[in-house]
Amino acid sequence: MNKERVILLFIVVLSLIPRLLSLSTTPPSIANDEINIVMNSKSLMATGANIPGVVTGVIGSSSGDLSGGIHSELSSYFLIPFYIIFGFSWVTAKLPFVFASVGIVILSYLLVKKLINRDAAVFAALLSALNPWSIFFARTAYESVLSCFFYMLGIYLILSKKGWKIFYAVPFLLIGFLSYFSAKTLLLPITLSLIVGIKLMKPKISLRPIIFMNIFLAVFIFFYGFLLNLSPAGVRFKELNNNKISVIVDKNRKESLDIGFNNLFENKVVEDFRIRAFASLGTFSPTLIFLNGQPESIPSLSITDHGPLYLIDLLLIFFGIVFLTRNYLSVLYFLSLLTTVAAIPNFSNLSGTTYMIRTVILFPILTIISSIGLYYLTTLFSKKMRRFILLFFLAIYFLFFGNFLYQYFGRLSVARSEGFFLHERVASKYINLAMIKNRDVVVLSSDPKFLFYRYLFFSNLYKNPNDVGIINSKLASNIYNINNLTVLGNCLETYEANKTYIIDTKLRCKEINGLKISTILDSNDLYTIVNDRVCERVPMQDYLFIKNTDDLQIEPLLAEDFCKKFIINRNR
C-alpha cells in the first residue's frame, strides 16, 4: 500500500471516531423527520409498503394521515440493507448516514486531487473529516447528507470522465435528486454549473456531452414534476409559495403614509422577492456559518452554540480564494458557482427556512476551499518553516475541533434534548416499566402519532413482520394502541384508579397532582403521571440532574435508577 493510500486510510479511520462515538446517546433521542424515515424503512422491509402516515415522493403506496410525513423516494430504502445485516436499532438506522458522511470525506479528497493536486487533497480529506456539519448529520437520520454524497460523486465523475462517459454520473445524480426533497431544486443548477466549469477549466473539450446531459436531466425533472403533481406528495408544491404574503402586504400598507406610489414598492411581487432574498442571503451569514449556526428554525438541526464550520475556516477560506485567484481562477469560478446555487432551496421554499440541512453541498464545498487555503499557507514558507507552520495551524484547528466536541457531546444532549424529543423516549421507558406492574397505561398526547412511533421504536415492538402488518392497519385508522397501552390526542373528564395516565401539559387538561416527566435542561414539566405504580417507593428529586452520557442509556435502566434520574416528585 503506497503512502497516499495509507494517509487517506488514516483520515478515514479518524473520521469514523467522532461519527460513531456514543451514537446511541448523542443525540439523546430522535426527531420527527428521522422517526418517519427509520420506521418507514422497517415497514418497507417487512411489508413492502410505506408505514401509514408517510409518503415517499412519487413512489410507494400511502395511507393514513400524511401530515408531516412526506419524504424523498429513496431515503428509507438506504436503511434496509443495514437492518438486514445488523438488525433494527437506532444505531444501525444511522449507519447509512455515517457512511455517506465518510464518503464525502473521500470525495473531497478526490475532487481536490483532480482540481488542484494530491497535497491539497490530503488537507481536504482531513478538514472534511473534522467538519462539524458532516459529523452532525452523520449522527442523525436526516436525508441531506445522503443527497450531498451522491451529488458530489456525480460532480467528481463528470470532472474525471471524458466524452460521453460522463453519463456514468447520471444514476448517482438522480439518486441524489431522489434522496432529499429540497435537493431536487439543486440538480439542474449543479449540472449547469458544470457546463461553465468545464468550459473554463477545459476549454478545448467538447461541451456536447454535458449539454445533452443537462437536456436529459431537464426532461426528467419535467416528467418528475408532472408525476409529483399527481401524487399525494404533490402538496409540497405549496411550499414554493407563501400564502401569508397578502397579509404582510396589507399590514405594511396600513402602516404607511400615502406618498403616491406606495403600491409600486409594496405589493405581492416585491414582498415575495424580499422574503426569498432574505432567506437566500441568510445562507451565507458569517455568524451562521462560522459562529453559532443561527438562525435555525428547528432545534434538532443545529449544533449548540456552534456553526457548521469553524471560525478558523473563515481565515483559511480567504487564503483559499487568494490562492485560487492567483493560480486556478477557473476552479474558483466553478466552486463559487456551486456555493451560490446552494442558496436555491431556501430561495424556492417559503414554508420555513432551514439553513443547515437544505443547503446540501454548501458546507462541504466551503470546507474544500478552506483546505485549499491551508495548503496555500504551507507553500508560502521555506521547507524548514513549512512543517512548523503546518503544525501551528493544525494545532489551532484541533483546538476548534475540541471545542466542537465539547459543544456536541457535552452540551447538545441537554440543550437540544427536547428538539430530539427526549421526553418521549423517557415516557416510552416509563410505559414499559408500568406494564411490568401489569398496569394499563393511557397517554394523552398533543401529538399521539409520533409518541406512538417512538414507543414502538424504543420498545423494539416494530420488528416482527406480522406485528408490523397489524400495527400498520391500526395506524391507517389513526388508532394508537398496543398491548396495555392506549395513546389519545385529547383530554379525559375522569381518570380510572386502576389505570396509569401520562398527560401532556400542552393539552392543558384539568390540573391533577402527579409525578412529572420534565426537560433535563431546566426541569420544565412536559408530562404529568397520574396513578403511578412504578416510582411510588423510590425517593425522587425536585429537579433533573443528568451529567453523564451513560445516564442517557435509558432502556437498560432498572426502575429505581430510572425514577431517580428522570422522574420528578413535586408533591412533597
Side-chain angles (χ1 to χ4, degrees), residues 115-132:
L115 296 173
I116 310 296
N117 59 43
R118 185 175 62 186
D119 292 339
V122 171
F123 291 124
L126 179 60
L127 267 57
S128 180
L130 303 177
N131 174 252

Side-chain angles (χ1 to χ4, degrees), residues 187-198:
L187 176 58
L188 210 54
I190 287 174
T191 53
L192 289 171
S193 298
L194 281 160
I195 293 179
V196 178
I198 290 173

Side-chain angles (χ1 to χ4, degrees), residues 94-161:
K94 295 180 182 181
L95 291 180
F97 306 90
V98 170
F99 288 126
S101 177
V102 174
I104 292 170
V105 173
I106 297 171
L107 287 169
S108 297
Y109 174 87
L110 294 173
L111 277 168
V112 175
K113 183 181 177 182
K114 182 69 180 177
L115 296 173
I116 310 296
N117 59 43
R118 185 175 62 186
D119 292 339
V122 171
F123 291 124
L126 179 60
L127 267 57
S128 180
L130 303 177
N131 174 252
W133 180 89
S134 184
I135 295 171
F136 179 85
F137 283 104
R139 301 173 61 88
T140 69
Y142 283 111
E143 305 152 296
S144 181
V145 71
L146 297 173
S147 186
C148 179
F149 168 75
F150 286 107
Y151 276 159
M152 289 185 68
L153 178 56
I155 292 169
Y156 171 71
L157 289 174
I158 290 172
L159 293 177
S160 60
K161 298 296 180 181

